Amino acid sequence: MARTYKILHRPWRLKWPMYWGMLPELLLTIAVLVLFGLQQPDVWRTRFWRIGHELKLNSSPTVILYAYANHRPLPEIPFVWSQMLTNFNVAISIISLFVLLGKMIATIMKVYYPILGLFVNFCLTGLYAASVYGQAGPDYLDSRYPSSVAWYIRLSCDVAKPFGAVKNCMMSKAAFAVTVIFMALYLFYLGLAVWAMLPNKELDVVDSDDEENGSTGLGKEREWEMQPTTPRGVPFTPRTQAFHTLDRKLPLRSNYA
């Protein structure tokens, strides 16, 4: 018995969690596509920024106008209020859709190996972790109103009722919750891939007898191919020659043939 570690064509230890997990993954993909698509390009991001400042919970979006008016360099806008975050969320939702379709095809064709799942789930876990950080990110642009977590995440949406933004606040909370669940799902897939890539006594054992039999069979096949053949395709051996000689000595046999 020989032990060899397989890297590429390594089987999964558990397959049913991936099969059953594709249904919630599809539902979560549709949810992030809708929720992130509704926020594009700037439906309520700047509005939330302004509401937070009026509630003295974060900086003000007027710092951009102030910089332009005074010919000063633009300050570094917090990631939570930036256009980059909105575009980033839309991008990862589209990537998730294509990854799901590709994973379904690879699973049907039986080429979705743990090494591929390890790479895909590691990247998607990192992308969704960055999205979670961005949606609930800090805002220290204004030292008077520092904020470690965005107000629409840590507070109730009732504070946005005077501004008529309760519905948008609830949608932002829903987008954040779906993103967290998606990150947890990809993290679970990543754990399955890491577990499958770990050395295993049962998966890494190759029977030496099978290897010898396989090599012996290959040698016999090559030996068979190297022998000369008769017109009928039968290998030419001394016994074959004896039968041909006997056929020539029996004239009556040709009449009955």
Side-chain angles (χ1 to χ4, degrees):
M1 306 290 283
R3 297 183 183 275
T4 57
Y5 181 78
K6 299 178 182 179
I7 298 179
L8 296 179
H9 298 168
R10 192 171 186 83
W12 292 89
R13 297 195 185 187
L14 287 178
K15 293 183 178 180
W16 65 266
M18 295 186 302
Y19 297 156
W20 288 102
M22 288 185 182
L23 179 58
E25 186 177 352
L26 176 61
L27 298 177
L28 290 172
T29 302
I30 296 174
V32 293
L33 282 171
V34 173
L35 293 173
F36 289 154
L38 291 174
Q39 299 180 22
Q40 183 75 11
D42 184 10
V43 178
W44 60 73
R45 185 186 66 254
T46 304
R47 185 184 182 187
F48 279 8
W49 192 1
R50 186 179 300 108
I51 292 173
H53 179 69
E54 293 182 10
L55 296 174
K56 298 182 179 181
L57 297 174
N58 52 245
S59 61
S60 173
T62 57
V63 294
I64 301 176
L65 299 177
Y66 180 81
Y68 278 120
N70 293 274
H71 302 284
R72 293 184 177 181
L74 292 176
E76 185 177 356
I77 300 175
F79 189 45
V80 63
W81 310 122
S82 64
Q83 180 68 35
M84 183 184 300
L85 176 63
T86 306
N87 297 335
F88 178 80
N89 289 334
V90 174
I92 63 173
S93 62
I94 297 174
I95 291 174
S96 299
L97 177 61
F98 282 101
V99 167
L100 177 60
L101 295 176
K103 186 165 62 174
M104 288 180 176
I105 296 173
T107 302
I108 294 174
M109 298 180 65
K110 298 182 179 180
V111 294
Y112 187 65
Y113 295 110
I115 187 65
L116 180 60
L118 181 66
F119 174 76
V120 170
N121 293 307
F122 178 79
C123 294
L124 288 174
T125 302
L127 291 175
Y128 275 90
S131 178
V132 169
Y133 170 79
Q135 294 180 58
D139 178 7
Y140 299 117
L141 184 60
D142 193 340
S143 58
R144 297 174 302 172
Y145 312 118
S147 173
S148 57
V149 180
W151 65 267
Y152 61 88
I153 298 296
R154 60 187 173 93
L155 298 178
S156 173
C157 290
D158 292 337
V159 298
K161 187 176 295 185
F163 306 94
V166 176
K167 183 178 179 180
N168 294 338
C169 177
M170 294 179 64
M171 293 179 65
S172 297
K173 284 182 177 291
F176 179 76
V178 172
T179 307
V180 172
I181 297 173
F182 225 152
M183 182 186 67
L185 180 62
Y186 282 128
L187 190 61
F188 174 71
Y189 286 155
L190 179 62
L192 290 178
V194 171
W195 185 35
M197 292 299 297
L198 294 177
N200 183 272
K201 294 181 180 180
E202 297 179 358
L203 299 178
D204 299 333
V205 173
V206 178
D207 194 352
S208 59
D209 295 337
D210 295 340
E211 292 182 351
E212 292 178 359
N213 294 336
S215 61
T216 304
L218 183 60
K220 289 182 179 179
E221 183 179 355
R222 291 180 178 176
E223 183 180 355
W224 179 277
E225 293 177 354
M226 292 177 64
Q227 293 178 354
T229 59
T230 62
R232 295 182 180 180
V234 180
F236 187 84
T237 62
R239 184 177 296 179
T240 307
Q241 184 178 5
F243 277 112
H244 281 294
T245 304
L246 183 61
D247 288 339
R248 286 196 297 268
K249 290 182 180 180
L250 298 176
L252 296 178
R253 186 167 182 170
S254 60
N255 296 332
Y256 289 99

